[in-house]
């Protein structure tokens, strides 16, 4: 194993280095000659870059490869477990619909190698939560027996507006009330960790994961819609996450869609997420029934049973979801809309009836003008996207967020 470059002293990586890394990541094992011919980079430049990657322990020499005569070339093998990152989802709905915090260790392939969940309710402040996350990451690093300098960082996905440069969570109306999630400066928590800390809005993190790993890999312009207890959008323009002037683009859950006068957590009335977030299904069902449900899974079971009340609520819900998506089509004219978050578990019950509503009586868009898709990463999108943030410089350059 070669010597390790400490993340803080990471040398500048050029596009050739990343191109070679991406090719090896995809093909796993190639000779320098194959790398040169597939990338169009000269053999001496490939040799320099491969030597550097060997030094860093990201690839290794893997013996002589098969050859059709002449000297056999040395094969270079990609090592996905040479670097790690932690992804944290502050409002995970994975496995359970109650909001939990999820901490996952991922490798260079964005495979989850270890993970832990814990409840908000067990903690009284963000300080306590962050200290607990530190303890969890320490425990995971120890159990996985990885050198801590191989961890490039911890990325945190937050349901609210996030300034990723200043590391501030600005407004998060849906995050566990009472925790004071407002203008929260995550730089204060950097000292807890032996590696760099990154933050990003949940829908943006999830959109990033879909863009790099999921259903949106070749899709350049899309709106990723995260439908959980709230609704947020990650807007992808030509392969970049568009965050806007104040880094608040995509707060689409707070677009006004009705005039009933229902008060939203943000202080305004009749926001889209009051009608079309997954919480609306639970709330509406419990208001009309003596049978209580506590989570989205419970609603899905009622819908499948089929319970006529659940069916009626679902139909109305789809109307509102379609209204909001139609508005987004008018704003962004995307190639794709990817629907993720908790609601993606409704799969076939969701997609066709939703499309029917979006394109019925729509003078601007026909069904084949764009694709509406269900997220392929489902509930993993946000935590994987968070875990990709520390890998940005290594794998993508710092140009994925604009
Ligand atoms: Zn609102």
């Amino acid at each position: 194993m070669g010597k390790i470059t400490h993340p803080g002293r990471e040398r500048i990586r050029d596009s050739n280095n990343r191109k070679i890394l991406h090719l090896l990541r995809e093909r796993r094992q190639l000779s320098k000659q194959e790398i040169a011919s597939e990338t169009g980079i000269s053999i001496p430049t490939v040799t320099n870059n491969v030597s550097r990657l060997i030094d860093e322990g990201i690839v290794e020499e893997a013996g002589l490869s098969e050859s059709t005569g002449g000297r056999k070339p040395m094969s270079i093998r990609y090592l996905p477990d040479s670097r790690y990152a932690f992804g944290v989802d502050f409002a995970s709905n994975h496995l359970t619909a109650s909001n939990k915090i999820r901490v996952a260790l991922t490798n260079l392939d964005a495979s989850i190698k270890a993970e832990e969940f814990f409840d908000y309710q067990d903690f009284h402040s963000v300080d306590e939560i962050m200290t607990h996350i530190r303890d969890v990451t320490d425990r995971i690093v120890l159990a996985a027996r990885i050198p801590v300098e191989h961890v490039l960082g911890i990325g945190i996905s937050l349901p609210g507006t996030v300034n990723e440069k200043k590391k501030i969570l600005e407004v998060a109306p849906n995050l566990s009330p009472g925790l004071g999630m407002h203008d929260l400066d995550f730089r204060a928590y950097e000292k807890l960790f032996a590696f760099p800390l990154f933050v990003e809005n949940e829908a943006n993190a999830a959109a990033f994961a879909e863009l790099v790993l999921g259903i949106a890999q070749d899709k350049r312009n899309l709106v990723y819609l995260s439908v959980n207890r709230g609704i947020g959008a990650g807007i992808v323009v030509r392969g970049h996450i568009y965050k806007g002037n104040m880094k608040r683009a995509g707060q689409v859950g707070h677009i006004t869609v009705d005039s009933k006068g229902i008060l939203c957590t943000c202080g305004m009335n009749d926001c889209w997420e009051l009608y079309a977030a997954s919480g609306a299904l639970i709330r509406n069902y419990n208001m009309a029934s003596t049978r209580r449900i506590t989570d989205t899974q419970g609603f899905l079971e009622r819908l499948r049973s089929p319970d006529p009340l659940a069916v009626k609520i679902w139909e109305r819900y789809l109307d509102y979801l379609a209204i909001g998506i139609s508005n987004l089509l008018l704003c962004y004219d995307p190639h794709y809309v990817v629907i993720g978050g908790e609601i993606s578990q409704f799969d076939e019950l969701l997609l066709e009836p939703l499309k029917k509503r979006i394109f019925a009586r729509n003078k601007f868009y026909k069904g084949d003008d764009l694709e509406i898709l269900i997220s392929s990463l489902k509930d993993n999108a946000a935590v994987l996207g968070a875990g990709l943030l520390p890998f940005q410089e290594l794998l993508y350059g710092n140009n994925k967020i604009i």
Side-chain angles (χ1 to χ4, degrees), residues 173 253-255 263-274:
H254 301 282
I255 289 172
L263 183 65
C264 179
T265 49
C266 77
M268 297 191 296
N269 287 337
D270 299 304
C271 296
W272 185 28
E273 65 180 40
L274 292 173

Side-chain angles (χ1 to χ4, degrees), residues 324-400:
I325 293 174
S326 302
N327 288 339
L328 296 182
L329 299 189
L330 293 170
C331 293
Y332 298 110
D333 192 16
H335 290 123
Y336 302 88
V337 173
V338 181
I339 299 170
E342 225 181 0
I343 209 68
S344 59
Q345 64 186 297
F346 287 71
D347 261 329
E348 82 287 358
L349 289 169
L350 174 70
L351 197 57
E352 288 312 316
L354 182 66
K355 282 190 198 168
K356 222 172 106 193
R357 284 165 169 82
I358 292 169
F359 298 113
R361 300 188 309 277
N362 191 329
K363 285 276 182 288
F364 294 97
Y365 290 95
K366 297 190 300 296
D368 55 0
D369 287 342
L370 72 149
E371 267 189 77
I372 296 177
L373 308 161
I374 303 281
S375 155
S376 59
L377 301 174
K378 298 233 160 18
D379 296 345
N380 290 327
V383 83
L384 290 177
L388 283 170
L389 297 173
F391 290 141
Q392 262 211 107
E393 158 61 23
L394 175 69
L395 296 176
Y396 311 104
N398 283 322
N399 58 359
K400 280 284 177 190

Side-chain angles (χ1 to χ4, degrees), residues 86-89 92 94-95 100-105 112-119 123 132-141 143 383:
F86 280 102
V88 179
D89 182 358
S92 173
H94 187 69
L95 303 176
K100 282 184 185 266
I101 294 177
R102 181 183 188 187
V103 182
L105 177 75
I112 294 176
K113 309 296 279 188
E115 65 179 336
E116 277 194 33
F117 293 84
F118 60 91
D119 272 314
F123 301 90
H132 186 70
I133 290 174
R134 193 268 319 274
D135 294 345
V136 170
T137 59
D138 281 354
R139 194 156 57 229
I140 289 177
V141 165
V383 83

